[in-house]
Each structure stands twice: as C-alpha cells, then as structure tokens.
Amino acid sequence: MSFEVSATDGEARAGILTTAHGELRTPAFMPVGTKATVKMLDPMEVRSLGAEIVLGNTYHLHFRPGEDVIGDLGGLHTFMGWDGPILTDSGGYQVFSLRDTILAVDDAGVTFRSVYDGTAERFTPEAVAGIQARLGSDIAMCLDVCAPAGGARDELAEAVRLTTLWAARQRLAPRAPGQLLFGIAQGATDPELRRRSIDEIVALDFDGHALGGLSVGEARDPMFETVADAAPLLPADRPRYFMGIGDPEGILEVIERGVDMFDCVLPTRMGRTGTALTSAGRLNLKNASFARDERPLDERCDCPACSRFTRAYIRHLVNQHELLGLRLLTVHNLRFLLGLTAGARAAIEAGKLASFKAETLERLDTA
Ligand SMILES: [Zn+2]
C-alpha cells in the first residue's frame, strides 16, 4: 500500500492512496453503491461527476446475488462495470443496526436473521474476510460491533472488546490479491473507550483506520470533539476514514480535523426523496414556490442537471414521480458533494482551508 500526504493545513491533509485498481485523491467522498450500484446512475456517470472510489456492501451482496456468483463472474469490479477502487464494508454495521434481527453475539461472531428471507446466518471475522476476498474489493473493512447511540457504558465497552478481538483474527485471514484491510475503532463519544479502542486497533497494524460508531444519532458537537481527539491518535502515514458522514457541514468539519475519507447515502437518498443539496442550502423540489422557477438547482454547479434543466421542470418531474427527476437530483447532489470535497482538497493545498470552510458555510445559509 502507498499513502502519500502531499499537503497539510492545520490538522487537515491532502493525499493520494494507491490501490490495486488505481489511485484516489484524498480527502475523498465515497458514493455508496450498496447493492453494486450507486442508485439511479451508470458507473460512467459516477466517474464523470468526480468520484474516484465507490462503496459496496458485504451484507447485501452476500445475500443477493451472493459472493460466489460475483466471484465466478470475475469479481465486483467486472460485475458492476466499475474499474476504479472499491471499498467494501464488513456488514457489521448492518447487522448491529438491524438489532431486532440479532439472535446471538459471542466471542466468535454474531448470528442473525437475514432481512431478505429471515434465515439464520452467522458472520465471523473469517467469514466476512472470505466474502470480501471473493468480491475482490480494493479495501476491505474489519467486522466490528457498532453500539447504538446513547448505549450504556458497559455495552460500549463490550463493543470495543469484541471489535478488537475480531480485528485481530480478521487481520490473519486470507485476502484478495493487493486487497487492503482497514481496522475500525469504536467507543462512541466516550473519551476513555475511544482512546482504548484506537490504541488496540492501531497496535494491530492495519493499512488504514476508520472511526466507526459515530454519526449514529448522537449530538454533533461531542461527535466532532471525538474526531478532533481521535485523529491525532491515528498514524499520520495511513488513511483515516470517518464512516457515515455526508452533509456539507459535516464533511468540512471532519476534513478540518484530519479525516481523509468518508461516505454517506445522504446525496443519493435525498435525491430520491426530492431534495437538492446546493451551495445555498437544501431545496425541497416538491415545494410550490419552484413551479415557475427558471433557475438551475444551483447557480454555482456545472453538473448535467444544472446546465440543462430548470427547478420548475425538475419540480414537475418529482411531483409526477418521473424517474428522470430523481435521477437529475441524484446527479446534482453527488456532483455538489464531490465538488465540495475537491474544493476542500485544493484549499488544503493552498493553505486556505479555514477561509474556504467559512465562505462555504456562510453561503449554505442563504437558500
Ligand atoms: Zn448541479
């Protein structure tokens, strides 16, 4: 693995991570392709919007269509028509966020019912390593235990203990050729547990490190404080990944604190529910005020939706449940967040992240 930090600005970093399927520039926003598709979009569009890496989901791909089908057909890159870097999560987040489906958790793994047909399934560190090896992703993630927001301290401590135990075992499991493996630190916003988890995970010597168990419903200020405390404890020569943040303010806050990679379903999910993320804030396109609005979604945006269509037209499409409307919003939302992240990267290289952040946040309030 090679990860080169090319510029820093305060705690923030700009870098390049080299994977088996090419480079990605950091900070990087990673569009989520849960079921081997970034919903609504062709992979060529995803790339043209500025994405350099996409996420796939181990839990969902394991059940449908199954890692053996994908593996036999040449792996996830070939299967989904994306030849750039892919990161797969471990499925741990899905298992532990669908708490009603959990049958048993023990030191060896977790047994749960599939959301697809209710059949019992078991994930162990070795099993999720095997699934991710078959999928052939460039970056695999460790199986972790994500405790719910506001969980009792002993529950958080147990999540930290199991996460370390499982990470140590997954590190020894076979991987796809050139596949990187990232460890995940838990501990919610508890300073002592977070530090303990980071110390234990870092000691296992992974290719990169993720902060898990954040952005799961806790208050934002303690979450950002946790990132500020955590990032300097993670090795500076490895990428740092904040799991599950994708609102413009949140992206800028974690970049400023030294995070290199992040993902979120927000831009694609918002697009499918009729909301545009713009440089001036969020627009609900169902709103009657857009009925005769001839402006683009975002006057500062260069995406195909903004360069060709009006808010009035997109509002009409959304209200008539026309697929094109949801597609155009998805295209725009992704372009906006990818452009914002690229802008932050350029600002770090110029040593001007603080002013870039201040100007961006000020503009976000004007919708
Ligand atoms: Zn746009």
Side-chain angles (χ1 to χ4, degrees), residues 116-198:
Y116 288 92
D117 59 12
T119 54
E121 179 61 277
R122 185 161 171 80
F123 275 0
T124 62
E126 292 78 11
V128 300
I131 296 167
Q132 293 179 89
R134 278 296 263 157
L135 295 174
S137 56
D138 300 284
I139 303 171
M141 299 300 298
C142 283
L143 184 66
D144 62 329
V145 178
C146 183
R153 195 165 189 281
D154 59 348
E155 195 177 0
L156 295 177
E158 176 66 0
V160 167
R161 185 187 74 84
L162 281 175
T163 295
T164 299
L165 194 65
W166 293 353
R169 281 174 31 208
Q170 191 168 339
R171 202 184 159 284
L172 303 176
R175 300 183 212 169
Q179 190 175 47
L180 306 176
L181 180 62
F182 283 18
I184 304 173
Q186 287 289 336
T189 54
D190 183 295
E192 195 269 326
L193 289 175
R194 178 63 64 174
R195 176 179 284 267
R196 181 195 304 173
S197 187
I198 288 173

Side-chain angles (χ1 to χ4, degrees), residues 29-30 214-216 218-221 223-224 242-255 262-268 270 275-279 281-282 333-334 336-338 340-341 344 357 360-361 364:
F29 177 76
M30 304 189 283
L214 295 172
S215 201
V216 292
E218 75 281 20
R220 299 271 280 187
D221 287 348
M223 179 182 84
F224 292 132
F242 185 110
M243 305 181 80
I245 198 157
D247 64 291
E249 300 87 348
I251 285 175
L252 293 172
E253 297 291 347
V254 300
I255 288 175
F262 34 87
D263 72 286
C264 194
V265 297
L266 183 93
T268 45
M270 286 271 173
T275 300
L277 303 168
T278 80
S279 60
R282 291 183 189 184
N333 286 350
L334 267 185
F336 171 61
L337 291 186
L338 289 162
L340 178 81
T341 306
K357 182 187 169 202
T360 304
L361 293 180
L364 275 170

Side-chain angles (χ1 to χ4, degrees), residues 10-175:
E11 292 297 317
R13 304 120 61 85
I16 294 179
L17 174 62
T18 304
T19 76
H21 287 81
E23 294 181 343
L24 80 118
R25 289 171 289 177
T26 64
F29 177 76
M30 304 189 283
V32 178
T34 304
K35 298 183 178 181
T37 167
V38 177
K39 290 186 195 299
M40 297 273 174
L41 305 185
D42 182 315
M44 288 196 312
E45 289 176 298
V46 176
R47 182 179 296 285
S48 73
L49 295 171
E52 296 179 339
I53 181 171
V54 298
L55 254 66
N57 188 289
T58 290
Y59 181 103
H60 292 285
L61 296 175
H62 168 65
F63 288 114
R64 302 286 189 276
E67 64 274 14
D68 286 337
V69 170
I70 293 174
D72 289 350
L73 294 172
L76 187 53
H77 297 82
T78 304
F79 185 64
M80 68 183 286
W82 170 268
D83 61 6
I86 298 176
L87 181 147
T88 45
D89 65 7
S90 68
Y93 179 77
Q94 281 69 35
V95 170
F96 287 97
S97 60
L98 300 162
R99 298 190 81 74
D100 295 345
T101 66
I102 296 175
L103 299 172
V105 185
D106 54 66
D107 281 4
V110 54
T111 306
F112 60 97
R113 291 201 180 280
S114 152
V115 287
Y116 288 92
D117 59 12
T119 54
E121 179 61 277
R122 185 161 171 80
F123 275 0
T124 62
E126 292 78 11
V128 300
I131 296 167
Q132 293 179 89
R134 278 296 263 157
L135 295 174
S137 56
D138 300 284
I139 303 171
M141 299 300 298
C142 283
L143 184 66
D144 62 329
V145 178
C146 183
R153 195 165 189 281
D154 59 348
E155 195 177 0
L156 295 177
E158 176 66 0
V160 167
R161 185 187 74 84
L162 281 175
T163 295
T164 299
L165 194 65
W166 293 353
R169 281 174 31 208
Q170 191 168 339
R171 202 184 159 284
L172 303 176
R175 300 183 212 169

Side-chain angles (χ1 to χ4, degrees), residues 191-209:
E192 195 269 326
L193 289 175
R194 178 63 64 174
R195 176 179 284 267
R196 181 195 304 173
S197 187
I198 288 173
D199 287 347
E200 292 175 356
I201 296 299
V202 168
L204 292 169
D205 192 28
F206 289 103
D207 298 308
H209 303 95

